[in-house]
Amino acid sequence: QSVLTQPPSVSAAPGQRVTISCSGSSSNIGNDYVFWYQQLPGTAPKLLIYDDNKRPSGIPDRFSGSKSGTSATLGITGLQTGDEADYYCGAWDSSLSAGVFGGGTKLTVL
Amino acid sequence: QVQLQQWGAGLLKPSETLSLTCAVYGGSFSNYYWIWIRQPPGKGLEWIGEINHRGITNYNPSLKSRVTISVDTSKNQFSLKLTSLTAADTAVYYCARGVGRHPPGRGWGQGTLVTVSS
């Protein structure tokens, strides 16, 4: 059972917008930054968003992050078939003194 | 651009000890924390622990009794040892870079599949 809660799957058509939620608590999301990762099959996770809403260089602005209270959201606009992947949220948990992740969300671009 | 390259044994027996090493190329070694993460087949990510160049560590409480992360600053390498293995420890193990008390950022190793089976 993951500390952060994500929906197992989401889907949308090419060109559409999709959001992926990540729910936590006051000891993790409510207290520290949220990171988002994209994992393509057979590869290591790739950082998409850090510090709630910042994009590393090279990540297109189709990807965005937001946070409110103890929940965070990853948004992806202009969906492409290449966006089909697993997406994970992560944060630091001050009660555990450890990093924590969501269980992952599989995005299907119909 | 930082690159992380990891290696270690891929097939172990129950009760044995997992040992993996990750070498860091490019960028500063002393300005970051160095992280181990694992992912069981078909499942999500699990944070194992982290270390900085001074040897300061943070461990996942659920694994703390079996985990040791060490650092060799002369080689820009860090290592993971996980004792008393069971089948539940079968996973792809990743090394990664972070800034300390945060999730990993850019810079991940390629992953090593470790299978625990008799």
Short mmCIF file of all heavy atoms in Angstrom, two decimals, chain A residues 27-88:
data_model
loop_
_atom_site.label_atom_id
_atom_site.label_comp_id
_atom_site.label_asym_id
_atom_site.label_seq_id
_atom_site.Cartn_x
_atom_site.Cartn_y
_atom_site.Cartn_z
N SER A 27 1.95 15.27 6.52
CA SER A 27 3.36 14.95 6.77
C SER A 27 4.15 14.80 5.46
O SER A 27 5.37 14.68 5.50
CB SER A 27 3.49 13.66 7.59
OG SER A 27 2.98 12.56 6.87
N ASN A 28 3.47 14.80 4.34
CA ASN A 28 4.20 14.69 3.08
C ASN A 28 3.80 15.82 2.12
O ASN A 28 4.41 16.89 2.13
CB ASN A 28 4.07 13.32 2.45
CG ASN A 28 2.66 12.74 2.50
OD1 ASN A 28 1.74 13.26 1.89
ND2 ASN A 28 2.50 11.66 3.25
N ILE A 29 2.77 15.64 1.32
CA ILE A 29 2.39 16.67 0.34
C ILE A 29 2.07 18.00 1.03
O ILE A 29 2.42 19.07 0.53
CB ILE A 29 1.21 16.19 -0.52
CG1 ILE A 29 1.65 15.04 -1.42
CG2 ILE A 29 0.66 17.34 -1.36
CD1 ILE A 29 0.54 14.46 -2.28
N GLY A 30 1.41 17.93 2.17
CA GLY A 30 1.03 19.15 2.87
C GLY A 30 2.20 19.88 3.52
O GLY A 30 2.02 20.99 4.02
N ASN A 31 3.37 19.26 3.50
CA ASN A 31 4.51 19.81 4.21
C ASN A 31 5.73 20.02 3.34
O ASN A 31 6.71 20.62 3.78
CB ASN A 31 4.87 18.87 5.37
CG ASN A 31 5.91 19.44 6.30
OD1 ASN A 31 5.76 20.55 6.81
ND2 ASN A 31 6.98 18.70 6.51
N ASP A 32 5.69 19.50 2.12
CA ASP A 32 6.90 19.55 1.29
C ASP A 32 6.52 19.49 -0.19
O ASP A 32 5.36 19.35 -0.54
CB ASP A 32 7.84 18.40 1.65
CG ASP A 32 9.30 18.78 1.49
OD1 ASP A 32 9.60 19.56 0.57
OD2 ASP A 32 10.13 18.28 2.26
N TYR A 33 7.53 19.58 -1.03
CA TYR A 33 7.31 19.63 -2.46
C TYR A 33 6.91 18.28 -3.04
O TYR A 33 7.27 17.23 -2.52
CB TYR A 33 8.58 20.10 -3.18
CG TYR A 33 8.94 21.55 -2.92
CD1 TYR A 33 10.14 21.89 -2.30
CD2 TYR A 33 8.08 22.57 -3.31
CE1 TYR A 33 10.48 23.21 -2.07
CE2 TYR A 33 8.42 23.90 -3.09
CZ TYR A 33 9.61 24.22 -2.47
OH TYR A 33 9.94 25.52 -2.26
N VAL A 34 6.19 18.35 -4.17
CA VAL A 34 5.79 17.16 -4.91
C VAL A 34 6.58 17.09 -6.21
O VAL A 34 6.80 18.11 -6.88
CB VAL A 34 4.28 17.18 -5.23
CG1 VAL A 34 3.89 15.97 -6.09
CG2 VAL A 34 3.47 17.20 -3.94
N PHE A 35 7.02 15.90 -6.54
CA PHE A 35 7.73 15.62 -7.78
C PHE A 35 6.86 14.66 -8.60
O PHE A 35 6.13 13.83 -8.05
CB PHE A 35 9.07 14.94 -7.50
CG PHE A 35 10.14 15.84 -6.91
CD1 PHE A 35 9.86 16.71 -5.88
CD2 PHE A 35 11.44 15.76 -7.39
CE1 PHE A 35 10.86 17.53 -5.34
CE2 PHE A 35 12.44 16.57 -6.86
CZ PHE A 35 12.15 17.44 -5.84
N TRP A 36 6.97 14.75 -9.92
CA TRP A 36 6.25 13.85 -10.83
C TRP A 36 7.24 13.21 -11.81
O TRP A 36 8.17 13.87 -12.29
CB TRP A 36 5.18 14.61 -11.62
CG TRP A 36 4.01 15.03 -10.80
CD1 TRP A 36 3.81 16.23 -10.17
CD2 TRP A 36 2.83 14.24 -10.54
NE1 TRP A 36 2.59 16.24 -9.54
CE2 TRP A 36 1.97 15.03 -9.76
CE3 TRP A 36 2.41 12.96 -10.91
CZ2 TRP A 36 0.72 14.58 -9.32
CZ3 TRP A 36 1.17 12.52 -10.49
CH2 TRP A 36 0.35 13.32 -9.71
N TYR A 37 6.99 11.93 -12.11
CA TYR A 37 7.86 11.17 -12.99
C TYR A 37 7.04 10.46 -14.06
O TYR A 37 5.90 10.04 -13.82
CB TYR A 37 8.64 10.10 -12.20
CG TYR A 37 9.40 10.67 -11.03
CD1 TYR A 37 8.80 10.79 -9.80
CD2 TYR A 37 10.72 11.09 -11.17
CE1 TYR A 37 9.47 11.33 -8.71
CE2 TYR A 37 11.42 11.63 -10.10
CZ TYR A 37 10.78 11.74 -8.88
OH TYR A 37 11.45 12.27 -7.81
N GLN A 38 7.67 10.29 -15.23
CA GLN A 38 7.11 9.50 -16.31
C GLN A 38 7.98 8.27 -16.50
O GLN A 38 9.21 8.39 -16.57
CB GLN A 38 7.10 10.32 -17.61
CG GLN A 38 6.60 9.57 -18.83
CD GLN A 38 6.91 10.33 -20.12
OE1 GLN A 38 8.07 10.55 -20.45
NE2 GLN A 38 5.87 10.73 -20.84
N GLN A 39 7.37 7.10 -16.56
CA GLN A 39 8.13 5.88 -16.79
C GLN A 39 7.60 5.15 -18.01
O GLN A 39 6.48 4.61 -17.97
CB GLN A 39 8.11 4.96 -15.56
CG GLN A 39 9.03 3.76 -15.72
CD GLN A 39 9.08 2.88 -14.50
OE1 GLN A 39 8.09 2.73 -13.77
NE2 GLN A 39 10.23 2.28 -14.22
N LEU A 40 8.39 5.14 -19.06
CA LEU A 40 8.06 4.36 -20.24
C LEU A 40 8.44 2.91 -20.00
O LEU A 40 9.33 2.63 -19.18
CB LEU A 40 8.80 4.92 -21.45
CG LEU A 40 8.43 6.37 -21.82
CD1 LEU A 40 9.39 6.91 -22.86
CD2 LEU A 40 7.01 6.46 -22.30
N PRO A 41 7.79 1.96 -20.67
CA PRO A 41 8.06 0.54 -20.42
C PRO A 41 9.54 0.20 -20.54
O PRO A 41 10.20 0.57 -21.51
CB PRO A 41 7.23 -0.16 -21.49
CG PRO A 41 6.12 0.77 -21.78
CD PRO A 41 6.71 2.15 -21.66
N GLY A 42 10.06 -0.48 -19.54
CA GLY A 42 11.42 -0.97 -19.57
C GLY A 42 12.49 0.08 -19.34
O GLY A 42 13.68 -0.20 -19.54
N THR A 43 12.09 1.28 -18.91
CA THR A 43 13.07 2.34 -18.70
C THR A 43 12.99 2.89 -17.29
O THR A 43 12.00 2.67 -16.58
CB THR A 43 12.89 3.49 -19.69
OG1 THR A 43 11.66 4.18 -19.39
CG2 THR A 43 12.84 2.99 -21.12
N ALA A 44 14.02 3.62 -16.89
CA ALA A 44 14.00 4.28 -15.59
C ALA A 44 13.03 5.45 -15.61
O ALA A 44 12.79 6.05 -16.66
CB ALA A 44 15.40 4.77 -15.24
N PRO A 45 12.46 5.78 -14.46
CA PRO A 45 11.60 6.96 -14.39
C PRO A 45 12.35 8.22 -14.81
O PRO A 45 13.57 8.33 -14.63
CB PRO A 45 11.21 7.03 -12.91
CG PRO A 45 11.31 5.61 -12.45
CD PRO A 45 12.48 5.05 -13.19
N LYS A 46 11.59 9.16 -15.36
CA LYS A 46 12.15 10.44 -15.84
C LYS A 46 11.44 11.57 -15.12
O LYS A 46 10.21 11.58 -15.05
CB LYS A 46 11.93 10.54 -17.35
CG LYS A 46 12.29 11.88 -17.98
CD LYS A 46 11.90 11.85 -19.45
CE LYS A 46 12.14 13.16 -20.14
NZ LYS A 46 11.71 13.10 -21.56
N LEU A 47 12.20 12.52 -14.60
CA LEU A 47 11.61 13.63 -13.87
C LEU A 47 10.85 14.56 -14.81
O LEU A 47 11.40 15.05 -15.80
CB LEU A 47 12.71 14.42 -13.15
CG LEU A 47 12.26 15.61 -12.34
CD1 LEU A 47 11.44 15.16 -11.12
CD2 LEU A 47 13.46 16.45 -11.88
N LEU A 48 9.58 14.80 -14.49
CA LEU A 48 8.75 15.72 -15.28
C LEU A 48 8.53 17.06 -14.57
O LEU A 48 8.54 18.11 -15.20
CB LEU A 48 7.36 15.11 -15.52
CG LEU A 48 7.18 13.98 -16.50
CD1 LEU A 48 5.71 13.57 -16.52
CD2 LEU A 48 7.66 14.38 -17.89
N ILE A 49 8.27 16.99 -13.28
CA ILE A 49 7.94 18.17 -12.48
C ILE A 49 8.66 18.05 -11.14
O ILE A 49 8.68 16.97 -10.54
CB ILE A 49 6.42 18.27 -12.22
CG1 ILE A 49 5.64 18.41 -13.52
CG2 ILE A 49 6.10 19.41 -11.24
CD1 ILE A 49 5.79 19.75 -14.21
N TYR A 50 9.23 19.14 -10.66
CA TYR A 50 9.81 19.18 -9.32
C TYR A 50 9.32 20.42 -8.59
O TYR A 50 8.83 21.37 -9.21
CB TYR A 50 11.35 19.12 -9.38
CG TYR A 50 12.01 20.35 -9.95
CD1 TYR A 50 12.55 21.34 -9.13
CD2 TYR A 50 12.12 20.53 -11.34
CE1 TYR A 50 13.16 22.47 -9.65
CE2 TYR A 50 12.72 21.65 -11.88
CZ TYR A 50 13.24 22.62 -11.03
OH TYR A 50 13.84 23.73 -11.57
N ASP A 51 9.45 20.39 -7.28
CA ASP A 51 9.01 21.53 -6.46
C ASP A 51 7.58 21.97 -6.81
O ASP A 51 7.31 23.16 -7.00
CB ASP A 51 9.97 22.69 -6.59
CG ASP A 51 11.33 22.41 -5.97
OD1 ASP A 51 11.50 21.31 -5.40
OD2 ASP A 51 12.21 23.27 -6.05
N ASP A 52 6.70 21.01 -6.92
CA ASP A 52 5.25 21.18 -7.17
C ASP A 52 4.91 21.52 -8.62
O ASP A 52 3.95 20.97 -9.16
CB ASP A 52 4.64 22.27 -6.30
CG ASP A 52 4.70 21.97 -4.82
OD1 ASP A 52 4.88 20.79 -4.46
OD2 ASP A 52 4.56 22.91 -4.02
N ASN A 53 5.65 22.47 -9.22
CA ASN A 53 5.19 22.99 -10.51
C ASN A 53 6.31 23.44 -11.44
O ASN A 53 6.05 24.15 -12.43
CB ASN A 53 4.23 24.16 -10.29
CG ASN A 53 4.84 25.24 -9.40
OD1 ASN A 53 6.06 25.34 -9.28
ND2 ASN A 53 4.00 26.05 -8.78
N LYS A 54 7.53 23.07 -11.15
CA LYS A 54 8.66 23.48 -11.99
C LYS A 54 9.02 22.37 -12.97
O LYS A 54 9.05 21.19 -12.60
CB LYS A 54 9.87 23.84 -11.13
CG LYS A 54 9.63 25.05 -10.22
CD LYS A 54 10.87 25.36 -9.42
CE LYS A 54 10.70 26.63 -8.61
NZ LYS A 54 9.60 26.54 -7.62
N ARG A 55 9.34 22.75 -14.20
CA ARG A 55 9.74 21.79 -15.23
C ARG A 55 11.24 21.84 -15.44
O ARG A 55 11.80 22.92 -15.65
CB ARG A 55 9.05 22.08 -16.56
CG ARG A 55 7.59 21.72 -16.64
CD ARG A 55 7.08 21.89 -18.08
NE ARG A 55 7.50 23.16 -18.64
CZ ARG A 55 6.85 24.31 -18.44
NH1 ARG A 55 5.77 24.31 -17.72
NH2 ARG A 55 7.30 25.43 -18.99
N PRO A 56 11.90 20.67 -15.42
CA PRO A 56 13.33 20.66 -15.80
C PRO A 56 13.47 21.08 -17.26
O PRO A 56 12.52 20.98 -18.04
CB PRO A 56 13.73 19.20 -15.60
CG PRO A 56 12.66 18.60 -14.75
CD PRO A 56 11.42 19.35 -15.06
N SER A 57 14.66 21.54 -17.60
CA SER A 57 14.89 21.91 -18.99
C SER A 57 14.65 20.72 -19.90
O SER A 57 14.99 19.58 -19.56
CB SER A 57 16.32 22.42 -19.16
OG SER A 57 17.25 21.41 -18.79
N GLY A 58 14.01 20.98 -21.03
CA GLY A 58 13.73 19.92 -21.98
C GLY A 58 12.36 19.29 -21.83
O GLY A 58 11.94 18.53 -22.71
N ILE A 59 11.68 19.56 -20.73
CA ILE A 59 10.32 19.03 -20.54
C ILE A 59 9.34 20.04 -21.14
O ILE A 59 9.32 21.21 -20.74
CB ILE A 59 10.00 18.79 -19.06
CG1 ILE A 59 10.99 17.80 -18.46
CG2 ILE A 59 8.56 18.31 -18.90
CD1 ILE A 59 10.99 16.44 -19.11
N PRO A 60 8.52 19.62 -22.11
CA PRO A 60 7.61 20.58 -22.77
C PRO A 60 6.57 21.14 -21.82
O PRO A 60 6.21 20.52 -20.82
CB PRO A 60 6.96 19.73 -23.87
CG PRO A 60 7.21 18.32 -23.53
CD PRO A 60 8.42 18.27 -22.65
N ASP A 61 6.09 22.34 -22.16
CA ASP A 61 5.11 23.01 -21.29
C ASP A 61 3.73 22.38 -21.39
O ASP A 61 2.78 22.88 -20.77
CB ASP A 61 5.07 24.51 -21.58
CG ASP A 61 4.69 24.84 -23.00
OD1 ASP A 61 4.34 23.90 -23.75
OD2 ASP A 61 4.74 26.01 -23.37
N ARG A 62 3.59 21.29 -22.12
CA ARG A 62 2.35 20.52 -22.11
C ARG A 62 2.15 19.84 -20.74
O ARG A 62 1.04 19.46 -20.39
CB ARG A 62 2.36 19.42 -23.19
CG ARG A 62 2.49 19.91 -24.59
CD ARG A 62 2.29 18.79 -25.60
NE ARG A 62 3.23 17.69 -25.48
CZ ARG A 62 2.93 16.48 -25.01
NH1 ARG A 62 1.70 16.19 -24.59
NH2 ARG A 62 3.86 15.54 -24.97
N PHE A 63 3.25 19.70 -20.00
CA PHE A 63 3.21 19.08 -18.69
C PHE A 63 3.20 20.17 -17.62
O PHE A 63 4.04 21.09 -17.66
CB PHE A 63 4.41 18.16 -18.48
CG PHE A 63 4.43 16.98 -19.41
CD1 PHE A 63 5.08 17.05 -20.63
CD2 PHE A 63 3.80 15.79 -19.06
CE1 PHE A 63 5.10 15.97 -21.50
CE2 PHE A 63 3.81 14.70 -19.92
CZ PHE A 63 4.46 14.80 -21.14
N SER A 64 2.29 20.08 -16.67
CA SER A 64 2.22 21.07 -15.61
C SER A 64 1.88 20.40 -14.29
O SER A 64 1.28 19.31 -14.26
CB SER A 64 1.16 22.13 -15.94
OG SER A 64 -0.13 21.55 -16.00
N GLY A 65 2.26 21.05 -13.19
CA GLY A 65 1.96 20.53 -11.86
C GLY A 65 1.33 21.60 -11.00
O GLY A 65 1.62 22.79 -11.16
N SER A 66 0.46 21.16 -10.11
CA SER A 66 -0.15 22.08 -9.16
C SER A 66 -0.37 21.34 -7.85
O SER A 66 -0.32 20.11 -7.80
CB SER A 66 -1.48 22.63 -9.70
OG SER A 66 -2.42 21.58 -9.87
N LYS A 67 -0.60 22.12 -6.79
CA LYS A 67 -0.81 21.52 -5.47
C LYS A 67 -1.77 22.39 -4.67
O LYS A 67 -1.74 23.62 -4.75
CB LYS A 67 0.52 21.39 -4.72
CG LYS A 67 0.42 20.61 -3.42
CD LYS A 67 1.78 20.41 -2.77
CE LYS A 67 2.22 21.62 -2.01
NZ LYS A 67 3.48 21.38 -1.26
N SER A 68 -2.60 21.72 -3.90
CA SER A 68 -3.50 22.41 -2.99
C SER A 68 -3.65 21.56 -1.74
O SER A 68 -4.14 20.43 -1.81
CB SER A 68 -4.86 22.65 -3.64
OG SER A 68 -5.75 23.27 -2.73
N GLY A 69 -3.21 22.10 -0.62
CA GLY A 69 -3.30 21.36 0.63
C GLY A 69 -2.50 20.08 0.60
O GLY A 69 -1.29 20.10 0.41
N THR A 70 -3.19 18.95 0.75
CA THR A 70 -2.50 17.66 0.78
C THR A 70 -2.71 16.87 -0.51
O THR A 70 -2.54 15.65 -0.52
CB THR A 70 -2.99 16.83 1.97
OG1 THR A 70 -4.40 16.63 1.87
CG2 THR A 70 -2.66 17.51 3.30
N SER A 71 -3.07 17.56 -1.58
CA SER A 71 -3.24 16.90 -2.88
C SER A 71 -2.49 17.65 -3.97
O SER A 71 -2.35 18.87 -3.90
CB SER A 71 -4.73 16.82 -3.26
OG SER A 71 -5.42 15.95 -2.39
N ALA A 72 -2.04 16.90 -4.95
CA ALA A 72 -1.33 17.48 -6.09
C ALA A 72 -1.91 16.91 -7.37
O ALA A 72 -2.54 15.85 -7.37
CB ALA A 72 0.16 17.17 -6.00
N THR A 73 -1.69 17.64 -8.45
CA THR A 73 -2.23 17.23 -9.75
C THR A 73 -1.20 17.43 -10.84
O THR A 73 -0.54 18.48 -10.90
CB THR A 73 -3.50 18.03 -10.10
OG1 THR A 73 -4.48 17.83 -9.08
CG2 THR A 73 -4.07 17.58 -11.43
N LEU A 74 -1.07 16.44 -11.70
CA LEU A 74 -0.26 16.55 -12.91
C LEU A 74 -1.23 16.74 -14.08
O LEU A 74 -2.19 15.98 -14.22
CB LEU A 74 0.57 15.29 -13.13
CG LEU A 74 1.33 15.20 -14.46
CD1 LEU A 74 2.49 16.20 -14.47
CD2 LEU A 74 1.85 13.78 -14.69
N GLY A 75 -0.98 17.74 -14.89
CA GLY A 75 -1.80 17.97 -16.07
C GLY A 75 -0.98 17.77 -17.33
O GLY A 75 0.20 18.15 -17.39
N ILE A 76 -1.59 17.15 -18.31
CA ILE A 76 -0.94 16.96 -19.61
C ILE A 76 -1.91 17.41 -20.69
O ILE A 76 -3.04 16.90 -20.76
CB ILE A 76 -0.56 15.48 -19.86
CG1 ILE A 76 0.18 14.88 -18.67
CG2 ILE A 76 0.30 15.36 -21.12
CD1 ILE A 76 0.43 13.38 -18.77
N THR A 77 -1.51 18.38 -21.49
CA THR A 77 -2.35 18.86 -22.58
C THR A 77 -1.82 18.37 -23.92
O THR A 77 -0.67 17.89 -24.01
CB THR A 77 -2.41 20.39 -22.59
OG1 THR A 77 -1.07 20.90 -22.76
CG2 THR A 77 -2.99 20.93 -21.30
N GLY A 78 -2.65 18.47 -24.95
CA GLY A 78 -2.21 18.06 -26.28
C GLY A 78 -1.67 16.64 -26.30
O GLY A 78 -0.58 16.39 -26.81
N LEU A 79 -2.44 15.70 -25.75
CA LEU A 79 -1.96 14.33 -25.59
C LEU A 79 -1.46 13.73 -26.89
O LEU A 79 -2.07 13.90 -27.95
CB LEU A 79 -3.06 13.44 -25.02
CG LEU A 79 -3.24 13.45 -23.51
CD1 LEU A 79 -4.48 12.67 -23.12
CD2 LEU A 79 -2.01 12.92 -22.82
N GLN A 80 -0.35 13.00 -26.76
CA GLN A 80 0.25 12.30 -27.89
C GLN A 80 0.37 10.82 -27.54
O GLN A 80 0.44 10.46 -26.36
CB GLN A 80 1.63 12.89 -28.20
CG GLN A 80 1.62 14.37 -28.47
CD GLN A 80 3.02 14.96 -28.56
OE1 GLN A 80 4.02 14.26 -28.44
NE2 GLN A 80 3.09 16.27 -28.80
N THR A 81 0.43 9.99 -28.55
CA THR A 81 0.56 8.55 -28.28
C THR A 81 1.84 8.24 -27.51
O THR A 81 1.89 7.31 -26.72
CB THR A 81 0.53 7.75 -29.58
OG1 THR A 81 1.56 8.24 -30.46
CG2 THR A 81 -0.82 7.89 -30.28
N GLY A 82 2.85 9.07 -27.72
CA GLY A 82 4.11 8.88 -27.00
C GLY A 82 4.02 9.20 -25.51
O GLY A 82 4.96 8.92 -24.77
N ASP A 83 2.90 9.77 -25.08
CA ASP A 83 2.71 10.07 -23.65
C ASP A 83 2.21 8.84 -22.89
O ASP A 83 2.12 8.88 -21.66
CB ASP A 83 1.71 11.21 -23.47
CG ASP A 83 2.21 12.52 -24.04
OD1 ASP A 83 3.43 12.73 -24.08
OD2 ASP A 83 1.36 13.35 -24.46
N GLU A 84 1.87 7.77 -23.62
CA GLU A 84 1.42 6.56 -22.92
C GLU A 84 2.55 6.02 -22.06
O GLU A 84 3.63 5.66 -22.55
CB GLU A 84 0.98 5.48 -23.93
CG GLU A 84 -0.37 5.73 -24.54
CD GLU A 84 -1.00 4.44 -25.06
OE1 GLU A 84 -0.26 3.49 -25.36
OE2 GLU A 84 -2.24 4.41 -25.18
N ALA A 85 2.31 5.98 -20.77
CA ALA A 85 3.35 5.61 -19.80
C ALA A 85 2.71 5.48 -18.43
O ALA A 85 1.52 5.75 -18.26
CB ALA A 85 4.45 6.67 -19.77
N ASP A 86 3.54 5.10 -17.46
CA ASP A 86 3.13 5.14 -16.06
C ASP A 86 3.65 6.44 -15.45
O ASP A 86 4.79 6.84 -15.71
CB ASP A 86 3.70 3.94 -15.30
CG ASP A 86 3.11 2.63 -15.76
OD1 ASP A 86 1.89 2.60 -16.09
OD2 ASP A 86 3.84 1.63 -15.81
N TYR A 87 2.83 7.08 -14.65
CA TYR A 87 3.19 8.34 -14.01
C TYR A 87 3.14 8.18 -12.49
O TYR A 87 2.19 7.61 -11.96
CB TYR A 87 2.24 9.46 -14.47
CG TYR A 87 2.43 9.80 -15.93
CD1 TYR A 87 1.80 9.05 -16.92
CD2 TYR A 87 3.26 10.84 -16.32
CE1 TYR A 87 2.00 9.33 -18.27
CE2 TYR A 87 3.46 11.14 -17.66
CZ TYR A 87 2.83 10.37 -18.63
OH TYR A 87 3.04 10.66 -19.96
N TYR A 88 4.18 8.68 -11.84
CA TYR A 88 4.30 8.54 -10.38
C TYR A 88 4.49 9.91 -9.74
O TYR A 88 5.22 10.76 -10.27
CB TYR A 88 5.51 7.69 -10.01
CG TYR A 88 5.39 6.24 -10.41
CD1 TYR A 88 5.84 5.79 -11.64
CD2 TYR A 88 4.83 5.30 -9.53
CE1 TYR A 88 5.73 4.46 -12.00
CE2 TYR A 88 4.72 3.97 -9.89
CZ TYR A 88 5.16 3.57 -11.13
OH TYR A 88 5.04 2.23 -11.49
#
